[in-house]
Each structure stands twice: as C-alpha cells, then as structure tokens.
Amino acid sequence: QVVLVESGGGSVQAGGSLRLSCTASGYILNKYYMAWFRRRAPGQEREGVAVIDRDGRARYPPYLDSVKGRFTISEDSAKNTLYLQMNNLQPEDTAMYFCAAAPNPPQVFNDRVYNYWGRGTQVTVSS
C-alpha cells in the first residue's frame, strides 16, 4: 500500500511562490511515475500539472502553457519526497493540489490511470 501525504500549500499574493511537497511511504520514487494534479473547484476534473517518470525526467502537459516556466517538478529519492516549485503564482493557480503515483500509466496526464492519491493541499492566490 502506497500512502502519499502532501504539504506546503497556503495563501499567497499574486507573484508569490510556494513549494509543495509529497512524501511517499516506501521507496517508490524510482519505481513509479509521480505526478501533480490540481482541481480548481469542487466538481471539476483534476488536471495534470507535472509528471516525473521513473528515470527522473520531468514532463509538463502541452495543454497547460500557463505553467510553463513557472512550475518545476523534482524529487529527492533519499527523502522519498516529490516537490512542485511554483513561482509567479497567479489567481488562476488557485486549486487543491494532489500528488499521485502509478507504476506505468499509459497516459501520464490522465488522472484515471493513477492508482494512489494523497488528500491534497490547498493553494490560494489572491490578486
């Protein structure tokens, strides 16, 4: 059983930065694809924000130009922790951010193929 716990969310003003963390139980970071998703409002679907594969390569969704150059996914295998550095945050980045893991997702930005999820951490950006 994989347990994921997110932290690092909070409230910031536009232009500010946050670093989200996701600590995983067990040493899975080099064995699973690890991803960040977000849900901007209750009832909305989760959208993929960034993925890091088992070789440590970061991928960002082509449909989300708004995060390019502002969000960076990384991991620290020794700490079994996944990170999402978010800079120049904007009000449209306000969302619940989730960490997810899957051994070999066929579509890395499709939330339905991820097996394990954290409970999320809220990010609120004010203008």
Side-chain angles (χ1 to χ4, degrees):
Q1 182 71 13
V2 175
V3 178
L4 304 174
V5 180
E6 303 96 335
S7 61
S11 297
V12 297
Q13 291 191 328
S17 298
L18 286 173
R19 187 177 78 159
L20 306 184
S21 300
C22 171
T23 301
S25 64
Y27 292 95
I28 69 167
L29 264 61
N30 293 331
K31 301 176 184 177
Y32 282 66
Y33 282 66
M34 302 296 296
W36 288 100
F37 286 80
R38 67 184 182 187
R39 178 184 284 138
R40 297 192 191 186
Q44 286 192 357
E45 293 189 356
R46 288 176 290 207
E47 63 178 0
V49 173
V51 171
I52 195 163
D53 67 20
R54 292 178 294 190
D55 295 321
R57 290 174 298 203
R59 305 186 198 181
Y60 302 93
Y63 54 76
L64 209 56
D65 284 344
S66 63
V67 306
K68 289 181 181 178
R70 298 192 299 121
F71 289 12
T72 303
I73 189 172
S74 63
E75 63 184 11
D76 185 334
S77 298
K79 296 182 178 179
N80 224 31
T81 301
L82 179 74
Y83 301 101
L84 184 68
Q85 178 67 44
M86 305 186 295
N87 297 327
N88 191 22
L89 283 160
Q90 300 300 314
E92 55 266 33
D93 296 317
T94 294
M96 182 71 79
Y97 284 74
F98 298 89
C99 173
N104 191 23
Q107 298 165 319
V108 297
F109 297 116
N110 182 351
D111 64 341
R112 294 179 178 86
V113 302
Y114 281 80
N115 308 85
Y116 303 103
W117 290 88
R119 293 190 175 186
T121 185
Q122 178 68 37
V123 171
T124 303
V125 186
S126 58
S127 57

